[in-house]
Amino acid sequence: MRLPRPTLRLRLTLVWFGFFLVAGLALLGVTYLLFRNQLPWTLTPPGIGDAGNLKRVIVADDVVHTGAAADRLIEAQVTEISRSFLQQGALAFLFVAIAAGASAWVLTGRMLAPLHRVTATARRIAAERGLQQRIHLHGPDDEVKELADTFDGMVERLEHAFDSQRRFVANASHELRTPLTLNRALVELAMHRRTASPDVIRLGEDLLQINTRHERLINGLLLLARSDQELPATAPVDLADVVSHVAEQTGAEARAAGVKLTVVAGPAPTEGDGLLLEQLVRNLVENGIRHNDQEPGGWVRVESGPTATITVSNSGPVIPVYDVAALFEPFRRLDGDRVTSARGAGLGLSIVRSVARAHGGTVVAHPRDGGGLVVTVRLPGSSPAPDPDGSPCP
């Protein structure tokens, strides 16, 4: 079992307390040595003998002791006084050490309080996505205040960058909606002509459904970007229905590419945006199909589980482990080509990751033995344990 890591406050307290113990013990030892060195002469001043020579004289219990008897009595007194000194000194040192440890703990907490404010602000920003929050630390102009001011400056720059991104998204939203609106107007105009044949009307209805789907998809993705990857509303969704529907729509593409598509649609209820979840599964399936078109006998398997889990595995070229995380970055491909090709624009897995994060889920990917990729999406309600063979995508 891994022991919990000691906090900075505890480590600083232990360092200060340890320094106090060493210094206190050294001071007590030096005092004791000086005391023992001076004690015999202060207790037993020399007396005058019969012959005029100096010798020790001590009076105890009204009895005068001289010579060896006086020396033994002095030694006994020195030993008793030294023992008493050590006992009382150790007891006093113990009380002072306890007071010093408590004082070190309190003072360390007060010194680290600004760092706790920095941590709390960073957590609020991460949890609430509120880049308008600041620390505004007041106090002496020391290293901690410099750290807090630097953090405030960094958050301010991030807020300006995200504001610019929101404005860009708003402009892109208008530019993307305009051609779809124009397409809808042209299709409706052709359908309502008096000379329109039934085939033209049916084709127009199909085109309007496709156009509506594209409008909803664009609105959903743009709303997702504007809200900093937060879903405005959710509804009950069974991932089995999503997987089955995507399999029907991509079946023709798989057959045309000579790829075998297998679906295991187990019940997997969750909460979320059905359109975005459908796009998530579609991107994974289409990614598996398109990277099998050069491999004879390729296959793609799509599964949904009872813990709101979607797993898409496919055959294909061998993928190094260190390249898996890069595949989820925008416009990144395994072959390094950054130009839009028949295999897509390099945004499929990026959208998968964004949609999963918006639903509070995770994406785990790892190369499959023999070539290909295995991608597992876990949405809220699924097991929090990571895939044993994979690593969460950043």
Side-chain angles (χ1 to χ4, degrees), residues 173-192:
S173 173
H174 175 74
E175 295 297 330
L176 289 173
R177 288 194 183 101
T178 299
L180 292 177
T181 303
L182 180 60
N183 290 342
R184 173 179 290 276
L186 293 176
V187 172
E188 290 179 346
L189 179 63
M191 290 175 58
H192 291 88

Side-chain angles (χ1 to χ4, degrees), residues 16-98:
W16 291 352
F17 183 65
F19 176 77
F20 169 80
L21 288 181
V22 174
L25 289 175
L27 178 62
L28 185 62
V30 172
T31 304
Y32 175 73
L33 293 177
L34 294 175
F35 171 78
R36 284 295 303 267
N37 187 46
Q38 297 296 325
L39 187 57
W41 299 104
T42 58
L43 286 179
T44 60
I48 304 297
D50 295 338
N53 297 323
L54 293 176
K55 66 178 181 178
R56 296 183 185 277
V57 178
I58 187 168
V59 179
D61 297 330
D62 297 331
V63 178
V64 177
H65 299 273
T66 61
D71 292 339
R72 287 193 297 270
L73 185 58
I74 291 174
E75 185 67 25
Q77 290 178 346
V78 169
T79 302
E80 182 64 25
I81 294 174
S82 299
R83 183 184 300 108
S84 177
F85 175 84
L86 288 177
Q87 291 176 351
Q88 296 180 13
L91 185 62
F93 178 76
L94 178 62
F95 283 115
V96 174
I98 294 175

Side-chain angles (χ1 to χ4, degrees), residues 295-355:
E295 301 289 334
W299 54 268
V300 176
R301 181 181 177 88
V302 188
E303 303 177 57
S304 60
T307 56
T309 302
I310 299 175
T311 302
V312 179
S313 54
N314 62 271
S315 60
V318 176
I319 302 176
V321 176
Y322 52 81
D323 278 341
V324 173
L327 296 177
F328 286 81
E329 298 298 328
F331 308 108
R332 293 293 297 272
R333 300 179 182 83
L334 183 61
D335 55 6
D337 182 18
R338 301 181 64 90
V339 181
T340 302
S341 63
R343 292 191 175 187
L347 292 172
L349 295 181
S350 301
I351 294 176
V352 169
R353 182 178 61 180
S354 298
V355 173

Side-chain angles (χ1 to χ4, degrees), residues 9-21 93-109:
R9 182 180 184 183
L10 178 60
R11 295 200 300 271
L12 289 177
T13 301
L14 292 177
V15 170
W16 291 352
F17 183 65
F19 176 77
F20 169 80
L21 288 181
F93 178 76
L94 178 62
F95 283 115
V96 174
I98 294 175
S103 302
W105 177 262
V106 174
L107 293 177
T108 303

